[in-house]
Amino acid sequence: SRVVVCTDGLANVGLGALDELKTDDERDAATAFYNRVGLLAVDKGVAVDVIGIEGEGCDVETLTAMVETSGGEIDKVNPMELHKNFGTAMANPVLATKVSATIMLHAGLHFRNDADGVVSANRMVRDLGNATKDTELTFEYSNKTRAQLAAGGIDLSTLTHFPFQVQIRYTKLSGMKCMRVISQAKRITHDIARAEAGVDT
């Protein structure tokens, strides 16, 4: 399911009011409220889209917490083109709910720069919520330090490939719970030019 919220200004009454925020604590409380709304939407299999009207005081930054958590989209539009954005939102339906991805790396690798997932050794679990055809998942990794490799008895010089695996758990709109497993082995290269030639391909 999908909920489209069209707003021409700041929420100014009741829960989630944004028009009189004066302190960081008040802004944090408002952000937490919209994050909870997003989590509730995820739990119910609903994506929340927000369409704000250009030239009005819509607080896109705060509303983003709700939208991103639920797997929705947020945009500011010209009021004369509002019908186009509703059409775009309806053309990108939710395909699965309660989606999570478990990513597994070789023991000689580790994740880096990832604050969105739960990381344990060379395994990371990331909750994606609702998924559409445009949903993407990216992550960064690098070699462990020489000391870590030595402690684990790992010699990367003997390897020609690194294995990767992603386990995707999700619930279909019919309620069926599924898991898809994708495994690949990627060739190792020590040639920087060769590695960069394969970026984004």
Side-chain angles (χ1 to χ4, degrees):
S1 300
R2 182 177 296 274
V3 172
V4 180
V5 178
C6 184
T7 176
D8 63 353
L10 291 174
N12 56 9
V13 176
L15 295 173
L18 300 171
D19 64 335
E20 294 185 0
L21 300 181
K22 296 175 181 169
T23 67
D24 288 342
D25 287 344
E26 290 177 342
R27 178 161 292 282
D28 289 343
T31 300
F33 168 78
Y34 285 104
N35 190 57
R36 288 196 303 274
V37 173
L39 291 173
L40 178 61
V42 169
D43 185 60
K44 301 301 181 182
V46 176
V48 181
D49 295 327
V50 172
I51 298 176
I53 305 301
E54 288 182 350
E56 302 296 337
C58 177
D59 189 344
V60 172
E61 182 179 350
T62 302
L63 296 178
T64 295
M66 170 180 65
V67 174
E68 289 186 347
T69 301
S70 70
E73 299 179 359
I74 190 165
D75 199 7
K76 295 193 78 170
V77 302
N78 184 311
M80 301 305 294
E81 298 181 354
L82 193 56
H83 63 287
K84 295 181 181 179
N85 288 76
F86 273 108
T88 299
M90 296 301 103
N92 192 25
V94 172
L95 302 177
T97 65
K98 300 182 180 178
V99 181
S100 69
T102 301
I103 304 149
M104 299 183 181
L105 303 178
H106 182 272
L109 304 175
H110 68 97
F111 294 98
R112 67 176 192 177
N113 300 332
D114 198 294
D116 297 326
V118 179
V119 179
S120 175
N122 59 329
R123 179 176 180 271
M124 178 178 71
V125 179
R126 188 183 292 178
D127 290 323
L128 302 176
N130 300 312
T132 70
K133 64 181 179 63
D134 294 330
T135 300
E136 294 182 345
L137 167 65
T138 60
F139 60 92
E140 294 183 30
Y141 65 92
S142 63
N143 295 348
K144 289 183 177 178
T145 65
R146 292 181 179 179
Q148 290 173 323
L149 293 173
I154 302 168
D155 184 1
L156 296 184
S157 66
T158 63
L159 300 178
T160 60
H161 292 74
F162 276 131
F164 296 86
Q165 185 177 97
V166 180
Q167 300 174 356
I168 305 171
R169 293 173 172 82
Y170 60 96
T171 301
K172 289 185 175 183
L173 301 186
S174 65
M176 180 186 296
K177 295 182 179 181
C178 306
M179 180 173 75
R180 180 180 181 186
V181 179
I182 303 171
S183 300
Q184 290 188 6
K186 294 295 185 180
R187 182 179 295 277
I188 296 171
T189 180
H190 300 284
D191 184 338
I192 294 178
R194 184 176 181 180
E196 290 178 344
V199 173
D200 295 329
T201 60

